[in-house]
Amino acid sequence: MRPSTALLAAASLLGLAAASALPSREKVCVSPQVWNECNDGWRGCCLGDPCKETIKGFSMSACPNSEEVPYKPAAETPASGSNFSSMAPQVDLWKKVCEFDNSDCNWSPTFFPIKTHDETYTKKSTTSQFHIQKDDGALGARRDVIALFSGIPADITTCRMFWYKPSGGIFFGTWNVGNIRYSTLKLGGKPFAEAVGSADVSYKNTKALITAEAAQGMLDLGDWAKGYGEAMLRGSEEFNCAGSELAVHFRLEAMMESAVIVDQVAKETSENPWVLRAGWVLKYEW
């Protein structure tokens, strides 16, 4: 597989080039549990979302699972931050979650990157690459992503969020922390464009929606850049997704400068003939 010029440029800019190595993580969780780092200092493996949010912010986080949280030591030698391969996955875990015809899953979000330090920044939407970034420090500027899932069937009222990484054939890189928090935006029964109030999807035009968003979960994608192979991670319990469109706000939860870039694949193409599915998926619960 040949990476695009734009993807290589972005990877080089963020230190995600194929030659660069990733720092070792503290723990590697036993799937499907994932490593979480909450703003109040809680860290650990958890199946659900341990980070508690109140009116005053994050406080007293704890894993909601009653069972003991298992973990194992991280790999001693970190692998490359990128994963280019012409070999198709030997086992497609996504088939255990989604129907082959996508009748119960939506792999085709439209991505709108927004920037907190450049509130009027807008860019033509893309469905091929997911890229979020966080500058250094608690108040560091962020590059977030709003993913718009369209064409949700009228009889669907609840969904779950998953993330799938095939064993090869896509670009996937993390730099430092890979904790991704995602929330659904309340559109008030309006189409996304009308709720934004402008043809330009920017941080300025979505700030009010983000302020009222509903947190749904967090996944740590940092560990999975080290070459652990195929992974299908469930990031949420069921949540309300009634309506033809669902807007999801993704941001990095990190104190240090960090970034995540992932190829989003909804179908096999001439540029990527080895992978049928990859990235974020909205699973319909009938």
Side-chain angles (χ1 to χ4, degrees), residues 24-89:
S24 296
R25 299 303 306 272
E26 297 179 38
K27 300 278 193 302
V28 176
C29 302
V30 176
S31 180
Q33 295 185 354
V34 295
W35 180 260
N36 293 268
E37 296 183 9
C38 304
N39 281 5
D40 61 2
W42 191 95
R43 295 185 176 190
C45 300
C46 187
L47 179 60
D49 181 4
C51 301
K52 307 302 180 185
E53 185 174 2
T54 66
I55 295 176
K56 296 181 179 180
F58 297 94
S59 63
M60 303 301 294
S61 297
C63 184
N65 305 115
S66 59
E67 60 191 42
E68 182 180 355
V69 180
Y71 63 88
K72 59 183 179 179
E76 294 181 0
T77 305
S80 166
S82 58
N83 180 20
F84 289 108
S85 172
S86 60
M87 297 182 63

Side-chain angles (χ1 to χ4, degrees), residues 1 35 38 46 61 67 76 85 111 126 139 151 167 199 232 244 261 274:
M1 174 181 177
W35 180 260
C38 304
C46 187
S61 297
E67 60 191 42
E76 294 181 0
S85 172
F111 292 143
T126 174
L139 301 178
S167 60
M232 171 65 87
S244 62
I261 297 180
W274 307 287

